[in-house]
Amino acid sequence: MKILWYKSLKIHIAAALLLQLILISILVGTTIYQLDLRKHDYAILNLTGQLRVISQVLVKQSSNYKQSAPRDYVTYERDLDLYNKDLRSLIHDYDEIIKAFKERNLPAELTGQEETIYCSWDRKSRSQLDITADYWNIFRQGLVDALGSNVNEPKLEAAAEYILQHENKLLESSTLLARAFQYMMESKLNAITHLNRASIVAFVIINLVILYGFYHRFIKPLNTTLYGFRNVANGNMAYQIPVGVEDEIGYLRTAFNHLTSRLAALFRLSDRMQQATNLDEALKIIYQEFGRSFSIEWIGLFMMNSTSDAYILERQYLDGSTNFNENENFMAEGSLLESVTENQNLVRIDDLARNDQQDKLLQQLKQNDLLSVIFLPLHMIGKEDSVLVMATSKPHAYDNELTELLENIGNQLGHAMNKTIGMEGLVISAISGLATLAESRDPETGDHLERMSLYSAILAEELGHNVKYKNRITPTYIRSVFQFAPMHDIGKVGVEDRILLKPGKLDDEERRLMQEHPVIGASVLHRCEAQMNMLGLSVFSVGIEIASGHHEKYDGSGYPNKLAGEAIPLSARIVAVADVFDALTSKRPYKEAWSINDAMAFMREQSGKHFDPDVIQALENSMEKILQVYQTHKHV
C-alpha cells in the first residue's frame, strides 16, 4: 500500500510534535534563563547566612573569653594567638562580605563560583543593606577603639565586653539583612512560577487545538480499528479488521490480522502459566507451548547467587538426559549469563559447534550436543539477575520470529515465574512452620530435623540412579522429600505432654496412644491438602505419605497400618532409614550416640525387616555425602 506523503499520519504527527517541541523549548529556555539570572540569589543568601554565623561566633567566643579571661601573662599570650587572631579574622570576613554587597560585585573567592557575580537588589534589600552596613561600620569602629591602639597588646577583655554589650543589635542587623535578601529571592522565584503556569496553560490550549484537528483525520478511523481490538480482547481471536484506509492505520490492520493466530497461542501460554504452582510446572509449560512451533530439547532457569558470585541452575526441564544438575554453579564473572543480565538483551547462538567462547555453560551445552541456544533475561521482582535458557541439538533452529516473540513476552514470563516462586515460597514457609511446631513439642530433636531431611534428600538422589526408580525419582520428587521429611512427626502435636515428655518407659496404653501420631499427622496434612485442592492445587501429598508411613516396617510389623514392602510409600521408606540412622548416631538424654560403624551394622541387620533393602543400599552408596552432613551438623 503506497501512502501519499500529505496523507501520511507520520507527517501529521511529526508536524504536531515539532510544534510541541518548539513550545516546550521556548518554555524550558525561558525558565532556564530566568533561573540562571537568579543563581546569584543563592550566593547572596549563603553570604548573608555567613554574616549571621560570623555574628554568632563573635558573640560566642567573646562570652567564652569573658568567662575565662587570662589572669597572668602566659594565658594572655596564649589568647593573642587564639581569641585575638580569630577576632580579627572574623572582622575581616564581615568587612569583605559587606564591601562586596555594597559594590554589588561578588568575587569568585567569596561565592565559590567560577566567575564574578554582578548583583541587582530590590528596594527593600538595598535599604536594609545600607542599615546593616552603617551599623557594622559603627560597631567595628567601637570594637577597634575597645581593642586599643597597641596592636601588640590589644585589650581583649574590653573587646569581649564591647561585643557582648552590643550582641543583640549585631545579631539583629545580620538577621534582618538575611531576611530581606531571602524575601527578594522568594519573590523572584514566585514570578518564575507564575510565568511557568501561564506558559503551561498556553501549551495545553495549543495542544487541544492540535487534538481537535486530528479528530477527523486520525481518531475516527482509529475507532474502527479499536473495535477490532475489542473483539479480540473479548476472546474473538478469529476477528478480522477490514482494511480500507490508505495510511498507516491500514498497515496496522493488516499486521493485526496477521497476529491474531499468534495471540491465541500466547493467551494459551498465559493461561497455563497462571495455573502453574511451581517452577517445574512453569518450565514444562514453556517447553510444551514453544515446542509446538520450535525445536526445544532442554530448558533451564539460572538465578544469580550473590553470596557466591555465581549463577545457579535453579531448575531445568528436558527431553532425555544431560549432565546438568540442579543447583550447579556457573561463575558469573566474564560469563555470557552475566553479560545477558547486565545488558538485559536476548542473545541467540545459532551453532555452538562453531563457537569458541571459553564459557563453562556454553561448553557444557556443547558437550550435551545442544547447538542452538537462546538466552532470555527475565524481569522478575527481586531477582533481576535471572536468565531463561532454551536449547536444541539442531543448529540454526531458532529464527528472528522466535527471537522477536521472546523479546516481546519476556516480561510476561518473568511475572509468571514470580507467581510460581511465590507459591513455592508459601509452601516452604508452611512446611517449615509445621515442622517447627512438631519440633517444639519434642525436646529430643535438636538438629535432628535438619540432618534427617538432608539424609533423606541424599538417599532419594542416590535411589534415582537405580534403574528400578529412575522414572519415579525426579528433581521435583527429591525436593519434596527434602521439604516434607521434617514433618514426619507432625502428628506429635496431638500427643499429650504426659506421654510425649514422659522420662521413663511407656506402658502399653501410653505406647498405643503414642503410636497414633502417624495417623494424627496424616490427618493434619490431609486437611491442609484439602484446602489446597479447593484452589486446584496439590501440595502435601508427599508429606502425607511420610507422616503416615515412616513407622511402617518393610516386613509388615510396623504401625499404624502394618503395611509391608512396596505397599509402603517410597518417600516413607526413605525417611524411615534417615530418621533411624540419625537417631542412632545422635546423643539423647537416655543414650549416648552410636558410632557410624555400629549404626551401619544395625541398619544392615534390619535390611529386609525394618528397612527397604534398596534404601539401605542407597545409604551404603552415599555414605561419603552422609558423613559430610554428619560432620557438619552432628549433635553428639
Side-chain angles (χ1 to χ4, degrees):
M1 181 185 297
K2 185 176 180 179
I3 303 174
L4 299 174
W5 70 269
Y6 57 86
K7 289 186 177 182
S8 173
L9 293 175
K10 291 185 290 187
I11 298 297
H12 296 169
I13 293 173
L17 290 176
L18 180 60
L19 177 59
Q20 288 179 323
L21 180 61
I22 293 172
L23 293 173
I24 293 174
S25 298
I26 293 173
L27 174 61
V28 172
T30 303
T31 302
I32 293 175
Y33 175 73
Q34 291 293 331
L35 291 175
D36 188 59
L37 291 179
R38 302 284 74 78
K39 67 180 180 181
H40 65 279
D41 290 345
Y42 295 99
I44 294 167
L45 194 58
N46 178 51
L47 291 175
T48 56
Q50 291 184 38
L51 293 180
R52 295 180 65 186
V53 171
I54 291 172
S55 302
Q56 293 167 355
V57 172
L58 282 171
V59 172
K60 180 64 175 179
Q61 290 187 351
S62 298
S63 177
N64 292 339
Y65 182 82
K66 183 67 177 172
Q67 293 175 7
S68 57
R71 295 293 181 263
D72 53 51
Y73 185 79
V74 174
T75 54
Y76 177 75
E77 285 293 322
R78 176 201 64 193
D79 291 334
L80 285 177
D81 286 333
L82 296 175
Y83 177 63
N84 182 51
K85 184 180 293 186
D86 287 345
L87 185 62
R88 295 186 182 278
S89 175
L90 293 170
I91 293 172
H92 174 268
D93 291 344
Y94 205 110
D95 278 341
E96 289 298 313
I97 295 174
I98 287 294
K99 178 183 177 183
F101 280 165
K102 291 292 289 181
E103 294 177 353
R104 302 179 187 180
N105 182 346
L106 307 182
E109 55 268 21
L110 275 182
T111 64
Q113 302 290 330
E114 295 181 356
E115 57 186 17
T116 299
I117 295 178
Y118 300 96
C119 309
S120 62
W121 317 121
D122 61 8
R123 182 186 58 80
K124 185 175 182 180
S125 298
R126 289 196 303 271
S127 174
Q128 183 58 51
L129 176 59
D130 291 339
I131 294 172
T132 300
D134 291 343
Y135 176 75
W136 171 250
N137 290 331
I138 296 171
F139 175 84
R140 186 183 184 285
Q141 185 59 48
L143 181 58
V144 171
D145 293 341
L147 286 169
S149 59
N150 190 340
V151 177
N152 295 323
E153 294 183 1
K155 300 174 182 179
L156 299 181
E157 191 168 359
E161 290 179 355
Y162 177 83
I163 292 173
L164 293 176
Q165 290 173 0
H166 298 83
E167 66 172 293
N168 292 334
K169 186 65 175 177
L170 176 64
L171 293 173
E172 180 185 15
S173 176
S174 301
T175 300
L176 290 176
L177 181 61
R179 288 178 181 172
F181 285 149
Q182 183 177 357
Y183 292 150
M184 176 186 66
M185 178 178 171
E186 289 176 351
S187 64
K188 291 177 180 179
L189 288 175
N190 287 334
I192 293 175
T193 300
H194 293 320
L195 175 63
N196 285 341
R197 288 175 178 172
S199 300
I200 290 172
V201 171
F203 180 76
V204 170
I205 293 174
I206 293 173
N207 273 277
L208 289 175
V209 174
I210 293 174
L211 288 175
Y212 180 79
F214 272 121
Y215 176 74
H216 291 286
R217 180 70 183 87
F218 179 72
I219 295 178
K220 289 182 70 175
L222 183 61
N223 285 336
T224 303
T225 305
L226 289 177
Y227 178 77
F229 277 85
R230 292 191 195 101
N231 273 272
V232 174
N234 290 330
N236 185 6
M237 297 299 174
Y239 185 84
Q240 294 289 300
I241 302 175
V243 179
V245 185
E246 298 180 359
D247 56 16
E248 288 83 356
I249 292 180
Y251 279 115
L252 176 64
R253 292 174 176 179
T254 301
F256 181 83
N257 292 336
H258 176 71
L259 289 174
T260 52
S261 59
R262 181 177 293 181
L263 281 173
L266 292 179
F267 278 120
R268 185 173 60 249
L269 171 64
S270 176
D271 182 60
R272 294 191 63 191
M273 288 289 288
Q274 291 300 319
Q275 298 174 16
T277 60
N278 54 60
L279 280 177
D280 298 280
E281 290 184 17
L283 291 183
K284 181 180 180 180
I285 290 169
I286 296 173
Y287 180 94
Q288 292 174 341
E289 290 299 328
F290 284 103
R292 295 172 182 267
S293 305
F294 307 97
S295 175
I296 299 178
E297 298 175 27
W298 181 85
I299 185 169
L301 177 63
F302 292 82
M303 291 185 178
M304 180 65 177
N305 184 345
S306 57
T307 58
S308 62
D309 194 27
Y311 286 86
I312 294 178
L313 177 55
E314 180 71 21
R315 214 63 57 86
Q316 64 176 331
Y317 190 86
L318 64 155
D319 181 13
S321 61
T322 66
N323 62 1
F324 284 100
N325 296 308
E326 291 185 3
N327 296 319
E328 184 175 355
N329 286 343
F330 295 83
M331 294 307 298
E333 185 176 0
S335 69
L336 184 55
L337 289 170
E338 182 182 55
S339 174
V340 169
T341 54
E342 285 183 352
N343 299 322
Q344 287 295 298
N345 288 326
L346 180 147
V347 172
R348 187 181 85 198
I349 299 177
D350 292 326
D351 190 355
L352 268 180
R354 300 178 179 274
N355 189 292
D356 296 327
Q357 293 185 52
Q358 298 303 310
D359 183 285
K360 178 186 174 183
L361 177 55
L362 295 182
Q363 294 297 321
Q364 199 159 327
L365 288 166
K366 190 185 299 185
Q367 291 170 9
N368 288 278
D369 295 325
L370 297 171
L371 302 181
S372 292
V373 190
I374 285 183
F375 291 76
L376 177 66
L378 296 180
H379 302 278
M380 301 171 67
I381 301 174
K383 299 177 177 62
E384 291 83 0
D385 294 345
S386 302
V387 181
L388 187 68
V389 180
M390 294 186 292
T392 183
S393 60
K394 301 176 182 178
H396 302 280
Y398 305 132
D399 55 19
N400 292 333
E401 183 179 356
L402 175 61
T403 300
E404 181 181 354
L405 177 62
L406 289 175
E407 287 177 335
N408 291 334
I409 66 170
N411 285 338
Q412 179 184 353
L413 291 178
H415 296 326
M417 292 292 186
N418 275 326
K419 172 183 173 294
T420 56
I421 290 175
M423 180 65 72
E424 283 194 353
L426 179 63
V427 171
I428 292 172
S429 298
I431 293 169
S432 299
L434 291 171
T436 303
L437 176 64
E439 181 182 11
S440 67
R441 296 292 318 286
D442 189 346
E444 298 180 355
T445 54
D447 295 325
H448 170 62
L449 294 182
E450 183 176 5
R451 288 192 303 273
M452 64 88 62
S453 61
L454 290 170
Y455 292 156
S456 298
I458 292 171
L459 294 177
E461 184 178 9
E462 181 60 33
L463 276 175
H465 300 308
N466 188 324
V467 176
K468 180 178 177 181
Y469 302 102
K470 182 177 180 180
N471 294 329
R472 296 177 58 184
I473 296 181
T474 64
T476 302
Y477 184 85
I478 295 172
R479 275 193 302 275
S480 295
V481 170
F482 172 76
Q483 292 170 355
F484 287 104
M487 298 176 64
H488 65 292
D489 277 336
I490 183 65
K492 287 184 178 180
V493 298
V495 179
E496 298 179 29
D497 286 347
R498 66 180 181 84
I499 299 174
L500 185 65
L501 306 179
K502 184 176 180 179
K505 186 177 181 180
L506 301 179
D507 60 30
D508 290 344
E509 177 60 17
E510 290 170 338
R511 186 178 298 105
R512 183 188 67 79
L513 293 174
M514 176 64 84
Q515 290 180 353
E516 289 182 359
H517 80 267
V519 176
I520 297 172
S523 176
V524 169
L525 297 183
H526 270 299
R527 293 173 188 172
C528 295
E529 180 70 357
Q531 294 295 319
M532 300 305 292
N533 290 159
M534 292 176 64
L535 299 175
L537 308 175
S538 177
V539 174
F540 293 93
S541 58
V542 173
I544 294 170
E545 292 177 355
I546 293 173
S548 64
H550 71 284
H551 279 298
E552 301 287 358
K553 294 185 178 181
Y554 198 74
D555 61 5
S557 62
Y559 65 88
N561 298 315
K562 295 191 178 300
L563 300 178
E566 296 192 4
I568 305 170
L570 177 60
S571 58
R573 283 179 269 154
I574 292 172
V575 170
V577 171
D579 187 26
V580 174
F581 177 80
D582 185 69
L584 294 176
T585 56
S586 300
K587 183 178 180 178
R588 298 290 172 85
Y590 52 83
K591 76 171 187 68
E592 292 297 323
W594 288 23
S595 69
I596 297 296
N597 290 335
D598 290 343
M600 286 304 300
F602 175 81
M603 302 297 286
R604 294 186 192 101
E605 192 274 330
Q606 289 295 315
S607 179
K609 301 175 184 177
H610 188 161
F611 307 119
D612 182 346
D614 289 337
V615 183
I616 294 298
Q617 185 60 52
L619 179 64
E620 298 268 14
N621 296 343
S622 59
M623 186 50 60
E624 182 178 350
K625 295 181 180 178
I626 295 290
L627 290 177
Q628 289 177 357
V629 174
Y630 173 79
Q631 292 297 333
T632 303
H633 303 280
K634 67 180 178 180
H635 175 66
V636 297

